Amino acid sequence: MEILADKIRPKTLDEILGQKHLIGKDKPIYNLIKNKKVFSMILFGRPGTGKTTLANVIANEIDKKSFFLNAVMNNKADFEYAISEAKMLGDAIIIIDEIHRMNKDKQDILLPYIENGTIILIGLTTANPYMKVNPAIRSRVSIFELYELNPNDIALGLTKACEYLDKIKIDDEAIKYIATLACGDMRFALNLLEISYYSCKTKKITIDHIKEINSKPNVYIDANEDGHYDMLSALQKSIRGSDVDASIHYLARLIMAGDLDSIERRLSVIAYEDIGLANPGIGPRLESAINAAERVGLPEARIPLAEIVIEMALSPKSNSAICAIDSALNDINLGKALKIPKHIVNGSKDYKYPHNYKNDYVKQQYLPDEIKDKKYYIPKDNNIENNLNKVHKERIG
C-alpha cells in the first residue's frame, strides 16, 4: 500500500515546500532547471527536508532518464547497469541515496562517467559531505544544503495531504500541533497524520488523539552522524560564550536523545578547556553532578545536569591551561624536545632542592638552554589567576 508521504510527493518545482534559497525565483537550482542544464550535485540535510523529492523533480523538470540507487542496498551490478543505460542514451541522471556510505568499488566505476558528463550524479545524504563524502566525488560536484522546513510549510503540506484522506476531520490547532512536533521533518508529520487518521474510529483527529500516538517532538540527533556532534558543539560554544539560556536549550535537546555519556564527556572537556583556572573548583563540582546524574538516571538526571550547566555558563572563562599545553606540544612537534639541563636530571648532585630554601623556592634553570626563556603559560585576567600570580610573585620575591 502506498503511504501518504509518497502519494502527495511533489512532481514539479512549484509544488515543493520550503528551500527557497535553492528553488526560489533566480536561485541556483531554479535557474539550472529553467536553463535545462543540470550538473552533478550533492543534496544534504536532515531527514524529511525533501532531498529525494527535489532530486526527482530535477530529473522530471529537465526531462532526463533517471535511475535511483542506494549506496548500500544496490550492488555493483546495479551501478554498472545504470551506467550502460546512460551510455546508450548519451547521458542520464543517477540519484544515489546515502552517498556518504558508497564504497570505493562503486566510486571507481562512477568517477570517469561523472567526469565526461555521461552521468549527472545527484547524491543524497544526511551527513556533512565535506566530512563524509570521498574527496574524489566531492571535487566533481556542487554541494547544496537543504534546511528543515518551518512549521508553516509543514502545516501547508498537512492541509494538502488531508485532501487524500476521505472524510477526515481535523482543525487548525491539531495541524499546528503535528507541525510543531515534526521539528522540520515533513515525512514525520505526514506519517503521524496518516497514523492518526487510520487509528481514529470517527476520523475526527484531535490533539488528545495525536498525543496518544506520539507526544514527543521529533528532535533530530543521530548518535553516529553529524547532527549529534553539532548539538554537542552548540552546547560547548554556548557555555563558552556565557549564554546560559542557549546552554540549557542544547542540554535539553541532548537529554531528549537520552545520551548521558556524550553529555558528561563534553561537559568534562568544557570544564577544563573553557573555564579552567578561572574557576578551578568547577571540575570537582561537575564530577559530583555527573555522579548524581548517573545514580538517579533519566529523567531526574536532568536536574543536576541543568544545575551544573547553569554554573558553567555563568562562570568566568579562561583557556590559559589548554593554550599552555598546546603551545608546549607544538614545540615538541617542531623538534624542540631538547636536552634536559644536567642539574635536574635524575641523581644530579648540582640540583638545588627548593624545600631547603626560604618560601620553598630557589632560582634555577629548568627548561633546556635553547628555550630557557620560553613562556607557555600566559595568564588570563580573572580573580583566580590574578591571585595565583600575585601569591607566586610574593613567594619567589
Side-chain angles (χ1 to χ4, degrees):
M1 184 180 73
E2 190 178 27
I3 65 172
L4 182 61
D6 287 334
K7 284 181 183 177
I8 71 162
R9 191 183 292 277
K11 302 293 191 298
T12 67
L13 208 59
D14 293 337
E15 294 174 351
I16 293 178
L17 298 170
Q19 314 310 334
K20 298 306 179 187
H21 64 296
L22 298 177
I23 64 171
K25 189 174 181 181
D26 292 332
K27 295 301 180 180
I29 292 179
Y30 173 91
N31 286 334
L32 288 172
I33 289 173
K34 293 307 175 186
N35 290 323
K36 300 292 183 182
K37 188 69 176 177
V38 175
F39 301 88
S40 291
M41 66 181 73
I42 288 176
L43 305 176
F44 83 102
R46 294 181 178 184
T49 51
K51 299 181 293 296
T52 301
T53 295
L54 180 55
N56 286 328
V57 165
I58 290 170
N60 291 338
E61 292 273 15
I62 65 172
D63 196 26
K64 281 191 182 292
K65 177 70 175 177
S66 65
F67 300 87
F68 192 95
L69 300 172
N70 183 286
V72 178
M73 295 177 64
N74 289 101
N75 58 32
K76 189 175 176 181
D78 296 327
F79 280 74
E80 289 173 336
Y81 172 77
I83 291 168
S84 66
E85 289 290 302
K87 287 162 74 175
M88 285 191 292
L89 293 167
D91 64 7
I93 292 175
I94 296 184
I95 301 167
I96 302 178
D97 198 12
E98 296 190 90
I99 192 170
H100 63 288
R101 300 183 187 275
M102 189 164 60
N103 64 32
K104 190 175 185 301
D105 285 349
K106 294 169 185 173
Q107 291 170 18
D108 290 344
I109 295 170
L110 288 173
L111 281 173
Y113 300 104
I114 297 172
E115 190 77 45
N116 66 23
T118 302
I119 290 172
I120 300 169
L121 169 69
I122 303 181
L124 312 177
T125 178
T126 57
N128 185 338
Y130 296 102
M131 298 175 64
K132 298 295 179 72
V133 173
N134 186 289
I137 294 284
R138 201 171 63 234
S139 69
R140 291 165 170 81
V141 302
S142 298
I143 296 175
F144 298 108
E145 181 177 6
L146 277 69
Y147 303 147
E148 57 266 34
L149 302 181
N150 65 48
N152 290 335
D153 287 332
I154 291 180
L156 185 62
L158 290 170
T159 301
K160 180 181 178 182
C162 288
E163 299 171 7
Y164 292 77
L165 299 172
D166 187 42
K167 298 180 180 179
I168 188 173
K169 297 175 183 178
I170 183 169
D171 59 26
D172 289 343
E173 290 304 310
I175 285 177
K176 287 179 182 177
Y177 182 68
I178 295 175
T180 301
L181 287 180
C183 294
D185 185 335
M186 189 73 227
R187 188 189 300 111
F188 174 92
L190 291 170
N191 288 343
L192 181 53
L193 175 66
E194 188 171 24
I195 293 169
S196 301
Y197 171 75
Y198 284 109
S199 64
C200 181
K201 184 177 180 180
T202 64
K203 307 305 179 189
K204 183 178 181 180
I205 300 172
T206 64
I207 290 178
D208 288 338
H209 181 63
I210 296 165
K211 286 180 178 179
E212 289 176 357
I213 299 167
N214 190 327
S215 61
K216 289 187 176 182
N218 179 40
V219 179
Y220 174 65
I221 302 177
D222 186 340
N224 299 311
E225 298 293 353
D226 300 311
H228 182 65
Y229 297 104
D230 287 346
M231 205 67 65
L232 290 168
S233 176
L235 174 66
Q236 180 163 7
K237 289 181 173 68
S238 298
I239 292 175
R240 181 188 294 153
S242 301
D243 189 324
V244 65
D245 298 304
S247 301
I248 286 293
H249 173 81
Y250 293 116
L251 173 66
R253 290 170 70 169
L254 286 161
I255 286 172
M256 287 293 292
D259 187 1
L260 283 180
D261 286 346
S262 292
I263 295 170
E264 291 163 358
R265 283 197 299 270
R266 184 55 66 102
L267 291 179
S268 296
V269 170
I270 299 166
Y272 292 97
E273 178 181 346
D274 295 306
I275 298 171
L277 289 169
N279 183 4
I282 202 68
R285 288 198 292 281
L286 171 61
E287 191 64 29
S288 294
I290 288 172
N291 288 337
E294 291 182 345
R295 187 175 300 117
V296 301
L298 288 169
E300 287 81 3
R302 75 192 188 282
I303 305 167
L305 290 175
E307 186 173 313
I308 196 65
V309 162
I310 289 169
E311 183 179 356
M312 292 172 75
L314 297 177
S315 285
K317 307 297 189 295
S318 173
N319 68 342
S320 59
I322 188 175
C323 288
I325 189 61
D326 283 354
S327 179
L329 287 168
N330 184 58
D331 273 357
I332 306 306
N333 287 328
L334 292 174
K336 295 182 181 179
L338 305 165
K339 189 174 180 180
I340 299 170
K342 289 182 179 179
H343 61 278
I344 62 168
V345 298
N346 190 39
S348 173
K349 294 180 180 179
D350 297 323
Y351 173 58
K352 296 177 182 178
Y353 188 55
H355 298 298
N356 289 338
Y357 296 84
K358 182 181 178 181
N359 294 328
D360 301 290
Y361 173 78
V362 61
K363 188 173 183 179
Q364 63 185 326
Q365 180 183 328
Y366 293 95
L367 280 170
D369 290 341
E370 295 86 344
I371 57 170
K372 65 180 182 179
D373 296 321
K374 179 77 177 186
K375 299 294 183 187
Y376 290 115
Y377 170 62
I378 310 297
K380 291 296 183 76
D381 185 12
N382 57 72
N383 289 338
I384 299 293
E385 288 184 90
N386 287 340
N387 287 335
L388 284 173
N389 293 325
K390 180 181 177 182
V391 171
H392 174 66
K393 288 177 181 177
E394 290 173 351
R395 185 169 64 85
I396 68 174

